[in-house]
Amino acid sequence: VGGWHYHTGDVFVYVISGEFVVDVEGQGRQQFRPGEVYHEAVKTTMQARNPSTTERTSLILFQIGGKGEPLMLVAKPPRR
């Protein structure tokens, strides 16, 4: 489980194997399987995880960012 964060540029995640689960602030939980792509929109607070304790998740991640900008910034968890 990763920490809550957001990106300064668009991120595209392609799932090779396993499962990829994303909790997006204000949008709830989304689950992706092999062959599916997830787009992380700019400045959208989210948290990602591998939901399995026995199976690995393999991903290809492509991220676009501005020169000199951090690729990821830590965010506070949303209030529930």
Side-chain angles (χ1 to χ4, degrees):
V1 177
W4 285 93
H5 65 281
Y6 63 92
H7 297 280
T8 57
D10 288 294
V11 176
F12 300 89
V13 179
Y14 176 79
V15 181
I16 297 172
S17 65
E19 294 182 65
F20 181 65
V21 173
V22 182
D23 292 313
V24 180
E25 184 175 14
Q27 298 177 22
R29 182 166 286 173
Q30 300 173 38
Q31 189 166 358
F32 300 90
R33 291 180 166 71
E36 296 181 326
V37 175
Y38 169 65
H39 170 238
E40 294 180 22
V42 176
K43 297 184 181 175
T44 300
T45 301
M46 52 86 61
Q47 179 182 48
R49 73 183 47 148
N50 171 357
S52 176
T53 58
T54 59
E55 185 178 351
R56 297 181 85 158
T57 298
S58 295
L59 311 166
I60 295 175
L61 185 140
F62 180 77
Q63 184 167 354
I64 301 166
K67 187 174 182 176
E69 289 184 2
L71 297 177
M72 180 184 79
L73 296 167
V74 175
K76 292 181 181 179
R79 292 183 154 194
R80 298 192 189 255

